[in-house]
Structure formats: C-alpha cells, structure tokens
Amino acid sequence: MGLGECLVGEAEKALVLQALERGQLFRYYGVGAGEPPAMVSTLEREFAGHVGSKFALAVTSGTAALEVALGALGIGPGDEVIVPVWSWISCFTAVVRMGARPVLAESDDSLNLDPAEIARLRTPRTKAVLVVHYQGVPADLDAILAAVHGTGVAVIEDCAESAGATYRGRAIGSIGAIGTFSFQARKIITSGEGGLVTTSDPRLYERTVRMSDVGQYRAFHEKLSPAAGQVFSGSNFRMGELAGAVALAQLRRLPALKLRLRAMRQRLMDGIQDLPGIRFRRIPDPAGDLGFETYLFLPSARHAARLREELAALGVNCTQHTGTYCHYARAYCQTGAAHAPGASPFAGLAPWPAPGYREQDFPRTRSLVERMVALPLGALYTEADVDHVAASLRAVWPGLEMETVGARLAGSASNP
Ligand SMILES: Cc1ncc(COP(=O)(O)O)c(C=O)c1O
C-alpha cells in the first residue's frame, strides 16, 4: 500500500460526503454566485500555500501534470528534454507524447539526475531538464540551477514521489519553473488517481489551465490571474470534486506524515549506521527529505541480491517498490515508437536504439541500481517494526563479509 493510502480514514470520508451532499461533482459548476464548489479549488489554494508557489492546478494524474507542464512551456516537435535514465515511465513517455525527444542522462549516487550531465547533453534544441526527485529525496537543485543558468533551459521538477520534501528550506515544486505531483495510489498522498501542477509564473499558469481544460480559461482562473496569452488547443485533464476531496484530506495529513517518517528513519539510522563498510544513498539536503526508504549500495549486484534474500527471510521486504527501471530496459524505449508512425521524435536516429538509448550508454546508473537495496518504512510502522529492520540488517551483515569488501571500496573513487 502507498503511504497516504494506509491513512485513508474519517477525514477523507467526511470531505467526500461533503462533496456528495453539495451534489456538484464537476469543479466549475458551483452552487452559488458563480463560485465553484469547495474541494478542488481548496486543494489548489492549500497546496500552493504548502509549497509556497503562487499557483496550483489540480489535474487527473501525475502523467497528465507532466504533459500539462511540457505544453505550458511550449515544448513540442524538434525540442529536447533532458530526463534521468532512471525514472518512472511517464518521465519518458510524456515527452514523446508531446512530440519532443527525451535525452537520457545518468544519475549519481543520490539516485537523481547527475547535474554534470546537463552540460554534456545540452544542445540548441534543449528546452527543459526534467528533474525527478526520486523516492523522497530532492535532487541537487543548486547544482542543476547553476548548470542551466543563462541558457534559457527550463527546470521542471517532477515531485510525484516526494510531495512534502524540501530543498535548502524551500518546498520542492517551487524552485524550478514548474512542478508536477501525482496522487496515484502508491504515492505519498493519494486520491487513487490525481495530479497537480505548481508554478509562480502567471503566464505558465494560464497555459497550464488551457492545456488541461481544452484551451479554455474560465472566470475562476481570471480572478486569480487575468488572461494575457493566446488560446490554443488543449486536452481535458480536469480533476473532479470527489478526487479533490480525498486529495485535500490527504494534503492536510502530509506535515504529520513527514515528521513521523523522518523520526522513524532517524531511529533506523541510529541502529545501523555504525555497520562496517555500510554505504548510504547520498542525500543532497538531509534536512528536507521524507525518509520513507533508506537506500544502501552494496559492492556488487550479487551482494545486493543476497542481502535482499536474507532480509526477506527475516520478514523485511526490501524488494524494489517503485516499479522504476532504466528507460533503456523498457519496450517503449526499445521500439522508440509513438502513437502514430510519423509522430516518433526518434525518426532519423537509425539504427534504433541509437547511442544514448542503450544499456551500454549508462554504466554508472546501471551499476548503482544493480547494487542498491531499499530498506522500507511504512506510514504505520511502529518503533518495534523499525527496530526489527535494524536488527535484521545487523544480523545478516557479518555474513556479507563487508569488512573486506569495505576496505577494497575505500580505495575506489568510483563507488559511492
Ligand atoms: C516520478 C514520477 N513521475 C510521474 C508519475 C506519474 O504519475 P501518475 O501515475 O499519477 O500518472 C509517477 C508515478 O507513477 C512517478 O513516479
């Protein structure tokens, strides 16, 4: 179960009931004076306040949020977007759906985009960098913003897996040009399906609304920020009131959830960080991550597989939770196909898969993800559960013979 999904209860029920009793399930058909009903608009207002961005627009999914963000930035055929090779399916497919080309980048030992990749991959066609804050840990945004400074390349923050996290005191989703969130069932907070876009730029806000509401910009949005841009053909990614009610109740749970996760993670770290040779995922700003998964890097894929197996035997489930794979391993990347033959942004890159889309092009990321193990923390984990994870790791650790491997790693700069 997802973190927020475990917590669904009275607060969600109460707001869903309120929405049903209003009898207005479409966000823009309000009950009085042209006002929309409360749920989606309240979610947007509170979410913007939470993130510290001027605007928030709720949509139907995190994937929709990505397409809306790309469209708002005017990204389409002929354009390129830098995307970490280790990221969720939609981070690649949303770019292809918009007709642009995803250009794949290596991740570093934070399991997020390596900022040095931006200079290596940027071309005159690069319009954006899609920064994916992977599983609760914000990417190194200072270095990423420095790498795009003065280039005109926009930073899109994909916060789908890290709602509530901060980077150097600011909420993620408020630092790049535009942020995207997902409320799918396995995310930090959920409405089953759902998503949201944040920005502080009124021009981008207008375009996100038009992207998500078949090109329209209604009176509700006019009041928040007067229209100044062009009408264009958008899609329909509007969130309904029932999803809005659940997402709103979940948003209100987020601060307490984050506090709890961070406290449990600290307890886990206190129990394991002295283990000889242990290597953790690098967290660029340890004050702001969510802490629901604790990643270790082992010396080899074989060590990682063995550790997973031995922990599973003790009841610690540390299989990979996110369903994330390197894009080159997935069929959509291997075919390079779009929904229509002429729509693929990879036409002209023959033979396919071209360099930049093959396993051998990403040795650093491949090595990291093969050697990692994620220790889990659930929203309902008790102190005893956390202590069990720590004790289990301590119990199996000596069998991995990390002392000898650790000494070998200490001399190797290429390992985290
Ligand atoms: C990083 C990332 N981006 C985008 C998405 C897409 O969100 P959704 O499933 O709501 O479309 C997800 C999750 O599935 C994700 O993990």
Side-chain angles (χ1 to χ4, degrees), residues 83-395:
V83 173
V85 66
W86 173 253
S87 55
W88 176 245
I89 298 170
S90 336
C91 305
F92 185 100
T93 59
V95 178
V96 173
R97 289 265 307 123
M98 298 306 293
R101 184 184 292 175
V103 173
L104 299 178
E106 293 258 37
S107 295
D108 63 19
D109 59 344
S110 70
L111 293 173
N112 291 322
L113 181 109
D114 176 353
E117 287 286 86
I118 296 173
R120 183 176 75 88
L121 297 170
R122 190 166 64 79
T123 74
R125 293 179 295 281
T126 309
K127 291 294 181 319
V129 178
L130 182 62
V131 175
V132 181
H133 303 298
Y134 175 70
Q135 292 292 87
V137 175
D140 206 347
L141 283 165
D142 281 350
I144 289 166
L145 290 172
V148 301
H149 184 73
T151 63
V153 172
V155 169
I156 304 172
E157 290 182 74
D158 182 341
C159 311
E161 299 173 5
S162 300
T166 59
Y167 177 80
R168 308 229 188 278
R170 292 169 70 191
I172 57 162
S174 70
I175 300 170
I178 196 159
T180 64
F181 293 82
S182 164
F183 305 138
Q184 183 266 342
R186 299 300 294 271
K187 299 300 183 291
I188 323 288
I189 57 172
T190 185
S191 50
E193 294 277 13
L196 187 134
V197 185
T198 49
T199 184
S200 290
D201 178 337
R203 187 188 65 88
L204 286 180
Y205 175 64
E206 180 183 341
R207 289 180 62 87
T208 61
V209 173
R210 294 194 188 283
M211 275 297 293
S212 69
D213 193 12
V214 288
Q216 302 179 90
Y217 195 73
R218 301 182 195 234
F220 172 78
H221 301 284
E222 275 281 356
K223 267 199 231 159
L224 293 176
S225 179
Q230 196 186 27
V231 177
F232 60 88
S233 295
S235 190
N236 171 10
F237 298 125
R238 296 179 303 247
M239 181 181 274
E241 285 291 282
L242 293 179
V246 180
L248 176 58
Q250 288 261 300
L251 173 64
R252 291 171 178 170
R253 293 186 188 279
L254 187 53
L257 174 61
K258 180 177 176 182
L259 272 181
R260 173 78 186 157
L261 290 171
R262 286 182 60 86
M264 292 296 99
R265 198 270 308 277
Q266 191 54 52
R267 189 179 179 95
L268 175 63
M269 291 299 281
D270 291 347
I272 62 174
Q273 61 196 353
D274 62 324
L275 287 170
I278 196 161
R279 307 270 161 145
F280 293 101
R281 172 186 189 183
R282 185 171 59 82
I283 300 181
D285 176 17
D289 70 296
L290 288 164
F292 61 91
E293 280 186 341
T294 300
Y295 286 80
L296 313 179
F297 293 113
L298 279 291
S300 69
R302 196 173 45 78
H303 280 84
R306 181 157 148 218
L307 179 57
R308 268 188 229 111
E309 216 173 87
E310 293 191 11
L311 287 176
L314 296 175
V316 177
N317 174 12
C318 50
T319 51
Q320 190 184 310
H321 294 289
T322 62
T324 297
Y325 293 81
C326 286
H327 291 295
Y328 56 69
R330 307 295 286 242
Y332 53 80
C333 185
Q334 288 163 359
T335 65
H339 66 285
S344 171
F346 306 113
L349 289 184
W352 187 260
Y357 298 91
R358 307 164 309 175
E359 179 171 352
Q360 65 264 38
D361 302 320
F362 301 94
R364 284 190 290 138
T365 307
R366 201 188 67 191
S367 164
L368 285 166
V369 301
E370 275 177 1
R371 295 185 292 111
M372 76 188 192
V373 173
L375 302 176
L377 268 185
L380 302 178
Y381 272 36
T382 62
E383 278 77 0
D385 294 329
V386 175
D387 293 347
H388 175 68
V389 175
S392 302
L393 188 65
R394 295 196 83 84

Side-chain angles (χ1 to χ4, degrees), residues 303 306 310 394-403:
H303 280 84
R306 181 157 148 218
E310 293 191 11
R394 295 196 83 84
V396 302
W397 198 256
L400 295 170
E401 294 172 350
M402 291 295 294
E403 283 92 341

